[in-house]
Amino acid sequence: MPVLTNIGALARCVRSAPAGDAGVVEGAALVWDGATIRWAGPAADLPGEFSGWPSEDAGGRLVVPGLVDCHTHLAFAGWRSDEFALRLMGATYLDIAAAGGGIASTVAKTRAASTEYLTARCRAHLAEMASLGVTTVEAKSGYGLNVEHELRLLGIYRSLATGPQRILGTLLAAHVIPPEYRDRRSEYVDLIEQELIPRVAREGLARFCDVFVEESAFTVEEARRILLAGKRHGLAPKLHADQLTSGGGGELAAEVGAASADHLERISEAGIRAMAAAGVVAVSLPFASLYLGVMPLPARRLLNAGVPVAVATDFNPGSAPSYHLPVAMTLACTIQRMTPAEALRGATVVAARALQLDWEIGSLEPGKSADFAVIDSDSVDHWLYHLRPNACVRTVAKGRDIWRSAPVS
Ligand SMILES: [Zn+2]
């Protein structure tokens, strides 16, 4: 039942506040009891009932809600650093695929890797994410691309979800058409619809069903079939949409009532209007825009239209080989023209909404989960402006320390 005192700035990210309002209180205190926040506000207003509770000192630092990385491809084997230089020298995705690289190489390596190896790698990545302040991670399958291996990846996520850091699985069997189905793609869509989705739902392995809608992946019609099948089985829809080409992904996200549509670098005006009307969250993935050298998502147009914009890493070995969410937040500011407050809300309460968990996590309000990070900075602006390897000194999830760089004095 601790009271965290001497908080220089407490960014509460109140759920009902506007996009640009981080809900900062200076000279604040935060009270939690077990896994639940009891009180957050100016220290001078701390109710007397908490005065005898054990107190901890935040050293005048910034405290933010635990960060929520709402889009990652966490489990995979190998890296693709060999393609990095090739791409920089002008090789296209098709050149790399023809040489046996690209996503197919990650699928082959991931299928060949042992469950123990993949689990240990995920655990190491999650520990580093915790050290950056990340308390919730969405994790997609999609490097298995058959029943056995998609279920195995989701099973790994479930086995990792036993601690205070939240791990939420997403079925992304519709990532690309696997090589063995190249000439019979409708059979692969049938397999996802008739076999994978029912099994994933029956075994409680995922909350979401995601489809990569793109010329090189799945069509709008195929995506609609898969997402509606997922919905019938209780899996909320998500989409990788309008990344390289404007393909009606935003419109489809609105039509199926998706929890989020992600990427959206090429979203159309009609797509923006449809998403705003349907209340679909746009998830921006600035690392992918940066690494692929494409225009970033039009965050200002989306925000002005009333679409909530989340920020996530898209951690994957091809287009976004980093899980450094605070750097992605800085990039959301510099290349997407979001304010630091919008980027912070995007990686906390808006990201929580993209995971349909904003009633539980993403803001520092009484009754919500005691998930927060202590940042060695005096303001949200300064934290995201002054790029450091890691400014996070302490991360708490469900009321328990999951990272501490040094005793908070
Ligand atoms: Zn992705």
Side-chain angles (χ1 to χ4, degrees):
M1 297 181 287
V3 181
L4 188 63
T5 59
N6 193 20
I7 299 172
L10 179 72
R12 294 168 300 157
C13 295
V14 175
R15 183 167 170 244
S16 58
D21 182 1
V24 174
V25 176
E26 295 184 348
L30 177 70
V31 184
W32 68 100
D33 188 1
T36 309
I37 293 169
R38 287 285 300 275
W39 190 86
D45 298 345
L46 185 71
E49 61 179 298
F50 303 123
S51 58
W53 288 28
S55 73
E56 300 170 6
D57 191 320
R61 296 184 176 93
L62 168 70
V63 173
V64 300
L67 302 180
V68 177
D69 196 341
C70 67
H71 183 138
T72 81
H73 303 251
L74 185 65
F76 58 87
W79 292 94
R80 303 224 294 271
S81 45
D82 48 337
E83 294 168 19
F84 185 47
L86 290 175
R87 280 210 311 257
L88 296 173
M89 296 308 290
T92 66
Y93 183 83
L94 288 176
D95 298 334
I96 288 167
I103 197 168
S105 71
T106 299
V107 171
K109 286 180 199 151
T110 305
R111 285 178 179 172
S114 72
T115 302
E116 293 70 30
Y117 171 80
L118 291 169
T119 305
R121 251 175 80 126
C122 288
R123 220 184 277 287
H125 295 332
L126 288 166
E128 288 209 315
M129 293 161 99
S131 77
L132 298 166
V134 177
T135 53
T136 298
V137 178
E138 185 260 13
K140 302 177 194 298
S141 65
Y143 294 121
L145 303 186
N146 62 28
V147 174
E148 175 196 351
H149 286 282
E150 286 292 298
L151 292 175
R152 181 171 78 126
L153 294 177
L154 293 173
I156 288 171
Y157 297 147
R158 186 165 64 182
S159 76
L160 291 165
T162 52
Q165 200 179 27
R166 283 178 183 75
I167 320 296
L168 303 172
T170 293
L171 173 65
L172 179 62
H175 196 184
V176 287
I177 299 284
E180 59 269 35
Y181 284 91
R182 193 165 291 140
D183 300 321
R184 42 194 185 106
R185 55 188 295 137
S186 67
E187 285 179 40
Y188 186 61
V189 176
D190 290 345
L191 177 82
I192 296 173
E193 186 180 344
Q194 292 160 23
E195 197 171 338
L196 253 174
I197 287 173
R199 279 195 63 181
V200 166
R202 201 163 53 239
E203 295 176 27
L205 285 170
R207 290 204 188 194
F208 305 98
C209 178
D210 195 342
V211 178
F212 194 175
V213 183
E214 189 58 61
E215 277 175 8
S216 58
F218 292 82
T219 66
V220 166
E221 292 69 32
E222 289 165 341
R224 183 183 289 111
R225 258 181 71 193
I226 293 167
L227 294 172
L228 291 178
K231 230 176 148 173
R232 284 196 298 278
H233 286 86
L235 304 179
K238 278 183 170 286
L239 287 85
H240 282 63
D242 299 327
Q243 181 188 9
L244 304 173
T245 51
S246 182
E251 292 90 329
L252 178 64
E255 177 194 321
V256 300
S260 71
D262 304 27
H263 280 297
L264 303 175
E265 285 89 340
R266 303 279 176 193
I267 188 166
S268 66
E269 282 304 319
I272 292 176
R273 283 195 301 275
M275 283 180 60
V280 179
V281 175
V283 178
S284 70
L285 304 167
F287 279 133
S289 311
L290 187 75
Y291 275 82
L292 294 176
V294 298
M295 287 287 289
L297 141 153
R300 292 257 61 89
R301 275 164 51 210
L302 286 154
L303 287 164
N304 290 342
V307 178
V309 179
V311 180
T313 62
D314 194 16
F315 174 52
N316 76 76
S319 59
S322 175
Y323 41 74
H324 202 308
L325 186 51
V327 170
M329 293 158 71
T330 293
L331 290 173
C333 299
T334 57
I335 70 173
Q336 295 175 183
R337 299 284 157 201
M338 292 171 75
T339 66
E342 287 167 343
L344 176 62
R345 284 185 66 90
T348 55
V349 72
V350 182
R353 184 170 161 190
L355 299 178
Q356 299 183 332
L357 277 180
D358 51 328
W359 48 273
E360 188 181 341
I361 59 169
S363 63
L364 298 174
E365 299 176 89
K368 293 189 99 173
S369 185
D371 294 8
F372 62 89
V374 180
I375 307 295
D376 186 28
S377 186
D378 60 4
S379 69
V380 176
D381 285 0
H382 190 268
W383 173 36
L384 296 184
Y385 142 88
H386 177 36
L387 202 54
R388 290 166 67 185
N390 188 12
C392 177
V393 298
R394 181 182 181 189
T395 308
V396 174
K398 296 181 186 165
R400 288 158 58 188
D401 278 342
I402 60 170
W403 157 257
R404 221 163 165 149
S405 68
V408 176
S409 57

